[in-house]
Amino acid sequence: MAYIKDEELSAILERADIVDIISDYLSLKQRGKNYLAVCPFHDDHSPSLVVSRERQIFNCFTCRTGGNVFTFVMKYENVGFVEAVKIVADKIGYNLNISDYTDHSLHNKDDYEIMDFAKKYYLNNIFTEQGVKARKYLENRGIDEAIIREFNIGLSLSDKDTLYKVLSNKKYDLDKIANLGLVNKVGLDIYDVFTNRIMIPIEDLKGQVVGFTGRIFNNETDTAKYMNTKETEIFKKGHILFNYHNARKSIRDAKEVVVVEGNMDAITLSAKGIKNVVALMGVALSTEQINVLKKLKVPVILMLDNDSAGMDATVKNGELLQSAQIDTRVVRLTGAKDPDEYIRLKGVNALKDNIKHALKYIDFKLEYLKNNKNLNNMEDLIEYVKEVIFSLNSADDLTKELVISKISKDYEIDAEILKQELKNDMVNKTKKVMTDTRQVEKPRLSKYDIAVSKILFSMMCDPTYITIYKNRLGYFKEKKERTLVSEIVYYNNVHNNINLADFITYVMPQEDLSEYVNEIINLNSNTVVSLEEFNSCVDVVLEILKKDEIKELKEKIKKELDVNKKVELIARLTELKKEV
């Protein structure tokens, strides 16, 4: 896990009010001392995320997600700890000294360095004499120098090994360069993968360059128009949405995100002022990409290429987004093959008008299902109606009612029959889900577990309780409980104080322990444990520990053959029985 100086972490946490930070992402409503919001980490339809200004923590009682301000930013922004700290520091105007910390667990550090160097190398090339034709090509497509620099668009040269030579001079390992898909090795021959192409860097969700798209610009006919970096350890297409890192703020401001198919489409839209745009790395949305879009909590507008593949992808991706309960809309452009061409032919205002009037996905689907059907033919009409009914399963009640009314009116079918058909379809699907899925009940907490969680939660909030624990208890039976106590006591000894928000940050590097702390917070975040209740919890634990010891002693007495030891065990047993 990242190491940042404790003084800096504490200073940031002291200045960063969690309510102010989270309100940049979510709409918060005050309820008493706390604030409520719709949780972005699960399919939440009523506010279940609670933010406590007093304790500087958040938690959701439904999906059991919680932590401090760093935890929230990490989860919401899909970034690591260091990046989350930097984001929070930037938001509060704290000057975090980058040179003062290093991320000791930053995997593939050299890989990211190599890709960043390649980006800068390609960018430099496009502004040389050799880049004149490439710049002219981009200029003709409405991409000026400002956009080139914004997206770090570069140029790979025609010589077969120019990048390799430069990287070699920097002493980067050949195998690393080859594994990143920048060069190929064939026997003793080594050559650049990308030559004579406009180079578009591909960034991950954190903004780190992980790959490239190379595009021809000299009207070559004997080579592929686009070439992408092969998938590597740091470049997984299904984990990336092109331009996401740059577009996040614009998406929040516009309250919608436009999803296009190609990165050149995204660049063109951004150049024309439509900044809230991301591009797929292919045509199908992955589970990871859907999760990223869902966390944005804004409508998703699918504007994919105007061909059969784009139509199929719109339907499939729309179904996936609908199933994830994401408000999905569709733009199908006519008269152009993709958004980039549409802007060049009809202008950006026409495109913006299409986006403004994007169809709700269900309306798009109703029209799509008519394709290749003659609705004057009874069999085709029945098939169409059944497909429409099938499409309504994941829709809300109002949508179901409106669609059924429309179908009933358009095709003179009794609405009650349609409703019954929908009901039957949903019942059949529910039966299948119940058959295929085992229902898992949440484990019930024992009296011991509840008492321990209150003791630990109190100790993480106030050093007074640590002293009482030491004097009255000093031991838990489970290893994870003892480990957490050890860390609590150590932290308090080092800092001569403890508060929950700081301690959450302290345990973040220990993943299992951090998860356990989160469990305790979710059980107790709305709890105020008095001294009397704390002592009562200690009494509960002491009684259970003594009962457990009595059981163990009875077993030992049965097995002990040494008379003297047996007498000692019986004496201890008698003493414990008096205490219980």
Side-chain angles (χ1 to χ4, degrees):
M1 200 68 181
Y3 171 76
I4 303 177
K5 286 184 176 180
D6 288 342
E7 309 90 81
E8 294 217 89
L9 288 173
S10 296
I12 294 169
L13 282 174
E14 186 177 339
R15 301 183 197 182
D17 182 81
I18 193 168
V19 172
D20 293 340
I21 299 297
I22 292 182
S23 64
D24 284 347
Y25 299 94
L26 307 175
S27 175
L28 296 177
K29 293 184 179 179
Q30 189 166 3
R31 290 290 186 276
K33 291 194 300 182
N34 295 331
Y35 294 78
L36 299 181
V38 173
C39 179
F41 307 119
H42 77 282
D43 183 21
D44 192 15
H45 297 287
S46 60
S48 62
L49 185 131
V50 180
V51 184
S52 169
R53 174 169 272 153
E54 181 182 4
R55 287 178 171 151
Q56 289 296 303
I57 62 170
F58 77 96
N59 71 288
C60 174
F61 292 106
T62 303
C63 68
R64 307 183 73 78
T65 299
N68 63 7
V69 67
F70 297 144
T71 318
F72 180 88
V73 173
M74 285 171 66
K75 290 179 178 294
Y76 192 96
E77 298 270 19
N78 293 292
V79 296
F81 177 73
V82 170
E83 184 68 16
V85 174
K86 289 164 66 179
I87 290 170
V88 174
D90 287 343
K91 285 180 178 294
I92 64 172
Y94 182 89
N95 186 23
L96 185 63
N97 189 349
I98 303 296
S99 63
D100 277 351
Y101 69 80
T102 56
D103 186 347
H104 295 299
S105 70
L106 182 59
H107 299 300
N108 312 106
K109 181 173 180 290
D110 288 345
D111 293 349
Y112 291 117
E113 281 187 7
I114 291 169
M115 297 305 273
D116 188 62
F117 183 87
K119 174 196 76 175
K120 292 172 181 174
Y121 169 77
Y122 291 138
L123 179 62
N124 181 69
N125 288 343
I126 206 167
F127 290 111
T128 65
E129 186 67 26
Q130 292 167 292
V132 171
K133 288 183 179 179
R135 293 201 307 276
K136 185 66 176 175
Y137 169 85
L138 291 170
E139 184 181 325
N140 290 338
R141 298 192 64 163
I143 299 171
D144 59 17
E145 181 177 338
I147 298 299
I148 289 174
R149 293 191 182 279
E150 180 182 339
F151 284 89
N152 293 298
I153 300 171
L155 174 69
S156 56
L157 302 180
S158 55
D159 294 340
K160 71 172 188 175
D161 58 357
T162 52
L163 176 62
Y164 168 63
K165 286 178 179 176
V166 174
L167 289 171
S168 296
N169 290 336
K170 291 288 183 180
K171 307 301 182 187
Y172 287 116
D173 181 72
L174 172 59
D175 288 335
K176 280 186 177 292
I177 302 170
N179 288 337
L180 289 169
L182 295 175
V183 303
N184 277 333
K185 290 193 303 179
V186 180
L188 298 177
D189 194 18
I190 302 169
Y191 57 91
D192 291 354
V193 169
F194 297 98
T195 57
N196 204 31
R197 287 177 179 267
I198 287 173
M199 301 298 293
I200 303 169
I202 300 169
E203 297 178 342
D204 63 15
L205 301 180
K206 302 175 186 177
Q208 300 175 112
V209 178
V210 293
F212 292 92
T213 294
R215 205 235 190 256
I216 59 172
F217 62 96
N218 282 333
N219 298 317
E220 297 94 331
T221 57
D222 60 344
T223 186
K225 182 186 291 186
Y226 288 99
M227 180 188 295
N228 285 323
T229 301
K230 68 179 184 180
E231 289 212 346
T232 66
E233 191 171 344
I234 64 171
F235 177 41
K236 308 291 184 189
K237 289 192 291 185
H239 294 184
I240 291 169
L241 288 166
F242 179 80
N243 196 45
Y244 172 82
H245 187 261
N246 292 327
R248 286 178 303 178
K249 185 179 185 303
S250 297
I251 290 167
R252 286 199 292 270
D253 292 343
K255 295 183 173 57
E256 63 186 19
V257 56
V258 179
V259 177
V260 295
E261 200 168 306
N263 48 18
M264 189 58 79
D265 293 322
I267 292 170
T268 302
L269 264 63
S270 187
K272 298 299 183 181
I274 305 171
K275 300 287 186 181
N276 56 317
V277 59
V278 299
L280 302 176
M281 298 301 299
V283 293
L285 279 166
S286 67
T287 301
E288 291 81 2
Q289 290 168 328
I290 289 172
N291 288 337
V292 171
L293 291 171
K294 187 168 185 176
K295 287 179 182 178
L296 292 171
K297 288 288 183 181
V298 298
V300 172
I301 299 173
L302 291 173
M303 190 164 63
L304 307 185
D305 288 359
N306 189 29
D307 54 19
S308 59
M311 175 66 83
D312 290 343
T314 299
V315 175
K316 291 174 183 176
N317 290 327
E319 292 297 315
L320 292 171
L321 291 166
Q322 287 285 100
S323 296
Q325 303 297 313
I326 297 173
D327 182 357
T328 307
R329 301 169 192 183
V330 174
V331 170
R332 294 297 296 163
L333 301 172
T334 56
K337 63 183 179 181
D338 55 34
D340 178 36
E341 184 178 79
Y342 189 90
I343 287 177
R344 283 185 277 127
L345 292 175
K346 300 190 177 184
V348 68
N349 288 334
L351 186 77
K352 287 180 177 179
D353 190 62
N354 272 276
I355 293 172
K356 183 178 179 180
H357 296 97
L359 285 174
K360 292 284 285 184
Y361 180 74
I362 188 64
D363 293 324
F364 159 78
K365 186 73 180 289
L366 291 178
E367 291 303 309
Y368 170 78
L369 291 174
K370 293 178 182 178
N371 290 345
N372 302 317
K373 290 185 180 70
N374 176 8
L375 297 186
N376 292 317
N377 177 286
M378 187 60 68
E379 288 185 2
D380 281 3
L381 178 58
I382 290 171
E383 183 183 358
Y384 171 71
V385 172
K386 284 184 176 291
E387 288 177 349
V388 170
I389 294 296
F390 178 83
S391 299
L392 290 175
N393 280 311
S394 60
D396 58 78
D397 290 341
L398 179 59
T399 300
K400 290 174 184 174
E401 187 70 31
L402 291 173
V403 171
I404 285 175
S405 296
K406 177 176 172 56
I407 296 296
S408 174
K409 181 180 179 181
D410 289 350
Y411 302 104
E412 297 182 351
I413 304 171
D414 191 328
E416 293 305 316
I417 293 175
L418 294 173
K419 289 178 182 179
Q420 186 60 46
E421 185 70 20
L422 175 61
K423 184 178 178 181
N424 292 341
D425 192 58
M426 293 179 70
V427 167
N428 290 335
K429 284 184 171 54
T430 301
K431 286 179 179 177
K432 186 177 186 305
V433 170
M434 293 296 288
T435 301
D436 295 343
T437 308
R438 291 183 178 181
Q439 300 299 308
V440 180
E441 291 185 9
K442 292 181 181 178
R444 296 181 65 182
L445 292 175
S446 67
K447 191 176 180 181
Y448 173 85
D449 291 330
I450 293 170
V452 168
S453 74
K454 288 185 177 181
I455 292 170
L456 290 171
F457 181 76
S458 303
M459 291 171 68
M460 288 188 287
C461 295
D462 189 336
T464 302
Y465 295 108
I466 298 174
T467 303
I468 298 173
Y469 166 83
K470 287 179 180 178
N471 293 335
R472 292 205 56 212
L473 188 56
Y475 180 79
F476 287 124
K477 63 181 180 179
E478 298 294 336
K479 182 179 178 181
K480 66 178 180 179
E481 298 159 358
R482 296 195 299 271
T483 301
L484 180 52
V485 163
S486 176
E487 293 291 356
I488 291 171
V489 172
Y490 173 79
Y491 185 93
N492 185 59
N493 288 342
V494 170
H495 298 276
N496 199 30
N497 195 18
I498 191 168
N499 70 67
L500 189 53
D502 280 330
F503 188 72
I504 289 169
T505 303
Y506 170 71
V507 298
M508 275 184 185
Q510 303 176 64
E511 192 172 334
D512 291 343
L513 197 61
S514 183
E515 287 181 8
Y516 183 44
V517 168
N518 189 46
E519 288 175 21
I520 293 169
I521 290 171
N522 275 286
L523 286 170
N524 298 282
S525 61
N526 269 354
T527 303
V528 177
V529 181
S530 64
L531 283 171
E532 183 180 357
E533 186 179 1
F534 185 85
N535 279 307
S536 295
C537 290
V538 171
D539 291 338
V540 168
V541 173
L542 282 171
E543 183 179 354
I544 291 170
L545 290 177
K546 287 173 182 177
K547 286 180 178 178
D548 287 345
E549 189 178 352
I550 286 172
K551 288 180 184 177
E552 291 175 8
L553 283 170
K554 286 180 178 179
E555 290 299 316
K556 287 181 180 179
I557 289 169
K558 287 179 185 178
K559 296 175 183 178
E560 185 58 62
L561 299 177
D562 186 299
V563 176
N564 292 328
K565 288 184 179 179
K566 200 163 192 170
V567 170
E568 290 177 6
L569 291 172
I570 292 171
R572 173 59 181 160
L573 178 60
T574 303
E575 182 183 340
L576 279 174
K577 284 182 175 179
K578 290 178 181 178
E579 295 176 6
V580 174

